[in-house]
């Protein structure tokens, strides 16, 4: 079911208004993703990886965050929003979302040095080299073990 942003997204006030429930997917997103960038995997300092950032995160007084799969992250794209974005539904409640690349937990099956990412400046999905830096937007809920 497709919902307008005004009813699709609910700011969770009992989480200090730091998280947003997406009623279309049932996922809970950080309301304000970090403006820092991370490598997908950082062999020199694993604490600086996007996946580690999410698993160590405490937001809204909760742990249990993770890097989203590519279908989860791409579900936030509104293709009717033009570049330079961010290509999120009009009226969304998110803060600090950049018109930039965001990591997913999904590796390209035919290109292991790459992970899928969402380019929120263009509203597109693309393979990103894991050695480069991009943003991380952490999520909670419906986990698929295959994404890790």
């Amino acid at each position: 079911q497709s919902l307008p942003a005004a009813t699709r997204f609910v700011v969770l006030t009992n989480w200090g208004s730091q998280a947003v429930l997406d009623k279309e997917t049932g996922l809970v997103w950080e309301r304000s993703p970090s403006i820092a960038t991370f490598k997908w995997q950082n062999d020199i300092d694993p604490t600086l990886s996007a996946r580690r950032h999410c698993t160590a995160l405490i937001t809204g007084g909760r742990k249990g965050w993770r890097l989203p799969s590519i279908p989860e992250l791409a579900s936030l794209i509104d293709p009717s929003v033009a570049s330079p974005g961010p290509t999120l539904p009009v009226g969304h409640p998110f803060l600090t979302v950049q018109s930039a690349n965001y990591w997913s937990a999904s590796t390209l099956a035919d290109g292991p040095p790459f992970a899928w990412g969402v380019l929120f400046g263009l509203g597109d999905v693309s393979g990103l080299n894991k050695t480069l830096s991009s943003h991380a937007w952490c999520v909670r809920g419906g986990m698929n073990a295959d994404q890790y």
Side-chain angles (χ1 to χ4, degrees), residues 1-56:
Q1 175 181 357
S2 179
L3 300 171
T7 57
R8 175 181 174 182
F9 299 111
V10 178
V11 175
L12 300 176
T13 55
N14 60 332
W15 292 34
S17 298
Q18 295 178 337
V20 174
L21 170 66
D22 181 345
K23 291 180 7 183
E24 272 189 16
T25 63
L27 296 170
V28 175
W29 295 92
E30 292 179 279
R31 186 172 187 198
S32 300
S34 174
I35 59 171
T37 58
F38 306 89
K39 292 184 179 180
W40 190 83
Q41 178 175 317
N42 191 324
D43 295 328
I44 296 169
D45 185 353
T47 63
L48 299 178
S49 75
R51 295 186 316 163
R52 173 73 175 134
H53 165 72
C54 287
T55 58

Side-chain angles (χ1 to χ4, degrees), residues 27 55 64-67 72 140-148:
L27 296 170
T55 58
W65 298 91
R66 61 181 173 80
L67 208 54
E72 292 170 339
R140 289 186 59 162
M143 183 158 176
N144 177 351
D146 290 343
Q147 68 192 344
Y148 285 95

Side-chain angles (χ1 to χ4, degrees), residues 84-136:
T87 52
L88 296 168
V90 174
H92 69 83
F94 300 107
L95 309 170
T96 70
V97 178
Q98 309 293 304
S99 292
N101 300 340
Y102 283 79
W103 290 117
S104 83
S106 307
T107 295
L108 273 69
D110 56 352
F114 296 87
W116 287 106
V118 168
L119 292 63
F120 279 104
L122 300 172
D124 200 6
V125 172
S126 183
L128 305 173
N129 189 310
K130 292 178 181 178
T131 63
L132 301 178
S133 293
S134 291
H135 295 273

Side-chain angles (χ1 to χ4, degrees), residues 65-89:
W65 298 91
R66 61 181 173 80
L67 208 54
S69 68
I70 193 59
E72 292 170 339
L73 189 58
S75 75
L76 295 173
I77 295 173
D78 182 343
S80 70
V81 176
S83 179
T87 52
L88 296 168

